[in-house]
Amino acid sequence: MSRERAAIAAGLCLLVAAAFSGIVHGEFLAFDDDVYVTQNPLVTGGLHAGAIAAAFTSFHAGNWHPLTWISHMLDVSLFGVAPAGHHATSALLHAVNAVLAFLALAELTGTRWRAALAAALFAVHPLRVESVAWVAERKDVLSACFGLASLWAWARFARAGTRASYWSSVALFAAALLSKPMLVTFPFLLLVLDAWPLERLKAQGARPALRLRRLWPRAREKWPFFALAAGSCLVTLAAQAPGVNEIPLGLRLANAGVAYAEYLQRVVYPRELAAMYPYREFISPRALGASLALVGGVTALAVAQARRRPWLLVGWLWFAGMLVPTLGLVQVGVQAFADRYTYLPFLGLALAASFALEELAGRTRLGRAIAVGVAAAALAALVWQTRAQVETWRDTVTLFTHAIEVTRSNWYAHTELGVALAARGELEPARAEFEAALRIRPQHPRALANLGVVAARSGAPAEGAEYLGRALALDPKLAGGRLALGIALERAGRIADAEAAYRLALADARGAREARLRLARLLSVSAESSLRDGARALALCEEACRESPCDSPEELDVCAMASMEAGRADDAVAKARRAVELARARGDSALAAKIEARLAGYLRGEPVRLRVSGK
């Protein structure tokens, strides 16, 4: 790498550091970070051969992206389950992506400073924040890293024709798809780039028929890319099949049209960015017409200028084409569109902007100085705005408070803010958020269920059980719903109903461990002899402790109860004594006293009996 290129690469890294340094202070979010990292047994054990094999052979979180799981495992091995290291890895990958974007664009276009400006705009635009600051979106920056490296290798192949570059590009593209299937339109991008700037479709006489005749060989040489993309599509459809939403085709097409306009607006004016833009149940003809007019106008302008300014059409096709997999034609999830989806598509617009600025710079005597000033001012403004956007991702409460401020009728944000407030113990503010969500979307199961949880925790377990029952009637597979219902019923004194709910909760992977321990407690201490089953209770405890060590005083307390009911008094005494030690070490004297009282009973040969189970 020449000194000039090295200096540009260093400058891009400094820009990323200036814009994203704040992310290392962020927490893990209660917004998929638990599913991807903190409560994901596939990841929390760190990097080892068994986990790597599982990454390649299982669908998790509705996805198949084994290299992403491996990257999370590596982070756990290096940093444990502490967020700073995970965030730093994502920021480092983004800095690498900025450098790769520059190198790929420089190789493609034969320019340096225009490529550098495009890479800089890409690096520090606020739309990048979601991909970089959200640990669960590691797949975005990792896939882009391999994708940009593949693009750079392809450009080298197109310029020099070396087979090593060709197969390197294919291998890197495969790695990109193994990180996230976003790049399935990448082979079409390569065809577009063959037209410009690579100019591999030109023919003598430049007649359209001759150009088309040259297109087929260029398409044929990309057969490994098309084959990999097709395979990725099939695997992704299989992985995401359970999460596909049955939305009318007309609404999906309308949303796709509106989404392009929304993305363009946020590219130009990135000040009202949110973590979630919920899918709309109705799109007005006026809104759709305005969006289609904007998209059609941009397309018409790009086509009209194709001969004089090919970078305009190529940049637009890059942006529009790479967004196709995310437009919800097959809708998964509740988002209408998302900032993260612009990660690599944005680079096409950045490339067009850099060439436009270069053209303007050449029109007047002071044009170049003015262009440099405009570019510097734009980058400074973007860095400032990106730093502010990073702060909104600091924690879950801040994230969804901001989303509510900058969007309308955001039932999803109200619900998730309520969940985060409840986790902090702020039950009344949490209730207000769930009620706000239900005013917007009355049949939202997650809001109903969490309203039930808050009611139960606030001393109204019967009311909580009613809300939870309504939520489960709407969504019988609601994650954690059966467990929460069991807790509410137990607090309401409906022990037999609570036991039934816990048994059903055992089938829910996300809450199965806690359900085992709670059911074991009921089977050990219930006042109703027909409900007690010491052997089953002990087996449930052993299953829970195999899944994850029982090393808290509360867990050991339950295991002691189960051991006593199963007739293993010595084990019950040993576990209770260990639980007392742990409670005292934690400074929880009240819990230690409760367990000591039970321990005294064990020493007398008396199992625990509760007329109405407490928490």
Side-chain angles (χ1 to χ4, degrees):
M1 185 183 294
S2 68
R3 288 186 178 181
E4 187 177 52
R5 287 194 173 195
I8 291 171
L12 289 169
C13 292
L14 289 174
L15 276 175
V16 170
F20 289 94
S21 59
I23 73 168
V24 295
H25 304 300
E27 301 175 2
F28 282 121
L29 303 172
F31 181 40
D32 282 358
D33 284 355
D34 51 351
V35 178
Y36 273 76
V37 180
T38 60
Q39 296 178 27
N40 182 2
L42 181 67
V43 166
T44 52
L47 189 65
H48 56 87
I52 293 172
F56 278 93
T57 57
S58 62
F59 294 154
H60 184 76
N63 286 290
W64 186 73
H65 39 46
L67 294 189
T68 294
W69 295 131
I70 290 169
S71 78
H72 286 305
M73 295 171 196
L74 180 59
D75 271 2
V76 169
S77 293
L78 292 173
F79 312 116
V81 188
H86 296 255
H87 284 304
T89 298
S90 293
L92 177 61
L93 281 169
H94 182 57
V96 171
N97 289 346
V99 174
L100 287 171
F102 160 64
L103 294 173
L105 293 178
E107 191 73 37
L108 284 166
T109 63
T111 69
R112 288 188 183 177
W113 293 107
R114 277 172 280 187
L117 176 57
L121 292 171
F122 160 79
V124 299
H125 196 282
L127 282 172
R128 303 292 80 73
V129 172
E130 182 168 291
S131 297
V132 182
W134 188 11
V135 171
E137 271 307 306
R138 168 68 56 75
K139 54 185 178 284
D140 226 12
V141 290
L142 186 63
S143 175
C145 186
F146 290 119
L148 287 166
S150 176
L151 183 61
W152 184 25
W154 180 262
R156 293 171 69 87
F157 162 73
R159 295 296 186 191
T162 60
R163 304 308 292 175
S165 295
Y166 177 90
W167 289 110
S168 294
S169 182
V170 172
L172 289 163
F173 176 59
L177 294 176
L178 289 172
S179 304
K180 184 180 181 179
M182 171 78 180
L183 271 70
V184 291
T185 58
F186 185 79
F188 296 98
L189 174 62
L190 296 183
L191 282 174
V192 170
L193 295 173
D194 276 342
W196 185 91
L198 295 174
E199 298 187 339
R200 301 175 77 215
L201 302 183
K202 280 191 173 181
Q204 293 298 323
R207 291 184 303 179
L210 291 174
R211 287 196 207 98
L212 289 174
R213 206 173 296 159
R214 291 180 65 91
L215 180 61
W216 169 242
R218 296 307 178 200
R220 187 176 55 198
E221 75 178 352
K222 297 171 181 62
W223 71 264
F225 295 92
F226 284 108
L228 288 168
S232 179
C233 287
L234 293 175
V235 174
T236 301
L237 288 172
Q240 295 184 342
V244 172
N245 292 336
E246 297 296 330
I247 295 173
L249 178 60
L251 182 56
R252 281 179 277 151
L253 292 173
N255 182 75
V258 171
Y260 275 120
E262 295 281 3
Y263 285 131
L264 286 172
Q265 175 190 332
R266 284 163 176 76
V267 167
V268 176
Y269 187 72
R271 288 189 58 82
E272 295 185 349
L273 306 182
M276 174 61 70
Y277 310 98
Y279 211 92
R280 292 149 292 195
E281 296 180 358
F282 173 76
I283 296 174
S284 71
R286 181 177 179 180
L288 178 59
S291 298
L292 292 178
L294 174 61
V295 173
V298 172
T299 304
L301 176 63
V303 170
Q305 295 292 315
R307 285 184 176 276
R308 294 183 59 200
R309 300 177 178 89
W311 40 265
L312 186 59
L313 180 59
V314 168
W316 173 242
L317 290 176
W318 183 326
F319 175 75
M322 292 200 78
L323 280 174
V324 168
T326 70
L327 294 177
L329 301 177
V330 177
Q331 180 64 29
V332 178
V334 300
Q335 70 286 342
F337 48 91
D339 298 347
R340 61 187 178 275
Y341 294 153
T342 67
Y343 193 84
L344 278 184
F346 178 92
L347 200 53
L349 297 183
L351 179 64
S354 68
F355 272 79
L357 189 61
E358 176 71 17
E359 180 177 313
L360 290 172
R363 293 196 169 189
T364 64
R365 187 168 58 87
L366 297 176
R368 189 162 299 277
I370 294 171
V372 170
V374 168
L379 291 174
L382 290 173
V383 167
W384 176 82
Q385 182 61 30
T386 293
R387 290 182 64 85
Q389 187 65 19
V390 164
E391 284 301 303
T392 70
W393 285 81
R394 183 173 65 250
D395 56 62
T396 310
V397 169
T398 303
L399 181 67
F400 288 110
T401 299
H402 175 75
I404 291 167
E405 290 171 352
V406 300
T407 61
R408 296 180 182 177
S409 301
N410 198 330
W411 52 269
Y412 187 97
H414 281 293
T415 301
E416 298 309 310
L417 176 57
V419 171
L421 290 169
R424 290 184 176 185
E426 301 177 33
L427 300 185
E428 284 308 308
R431 175 188 282 270
E433 294 302 328
F434 297 135
E435 290 172 345
L438 291 168
R439 283 193 294 272
I440 300 167
R441 194 181 178 99
Q443 303 300 312
H444 182 32
R446 183 166 164 81
L448 277 168
N450 281 282
L451 182 57
V453 170
V454 166
R457 289 177 62 187
S458 301
E463 179 189 3
E466 180 185 351
Y467 282 125
L468 283 157
R470 288 170 55 191
L472 287 164
L474 291 167
D475 182 3
K477 296 182 179 180
L478 182 66
R482 298 291 174 186
L483 175 62
L485 177 61
I487 294 170
L489 291 168
E490 185 179 350
R491 286 174 174 167
R494 296 167 57 183
I495 305 303
D497 291 337
E499 181 199 7
Y502 289 146
R503 289 186 186 278
L504 290 172
L506 296 178
D508 182 354
R510 291 185 65 181
R513 185 176 184 277
E514 184 178 352
R516 289 189 187 102
L517 291 170
R518 287 187 175 272
L519 179 57
R521 183 176 183 274
L522 282 190
L523 295 176
S524 302
V525 305
S526 176
E528 300 179 37
S529 60
S530 61
L531 293 180
R532 293 198 301 273
D533 185 343
R536 175 61 175 150
L538 188 57
L540 287 166
C541 285
E542 290 171 348
E543 289 174 21
C545 296
R546 277 197 300 271
E547 182 179 334
S548 179
C550 294
D551 52 10
S552 73
E554 293 87 353
E555 292 168 344
L556 287 170
D557 186 25
V558 173
C559 293
M561 294 176 192
S563 295
M564 193 67 193
E565 183 61 25
R568 296 170 60 172
D570 290 345
D571 286 348
V573 169
K575 290 170 183 173
R577 283 175 172 162
R578 178 58 179 158
V580 170
E581 292 174 6
L582 292 172
R584 284 176 176 163
R586 197 170 69 187
D588 193 338
S589 57
L591 178 60
K594 286 182 181 179
I595 300 174
E596 279 186 317
R598 289 194 269 272
L599 173 59
Y602 302 153
L603 292 170
R604 295 192 300 269
E606 300 171 357
V608 178
R609 291 290 178 267
L610 297 180
R611 191 169 300 278
V612 177
S613 295
K615 182 177 177 181

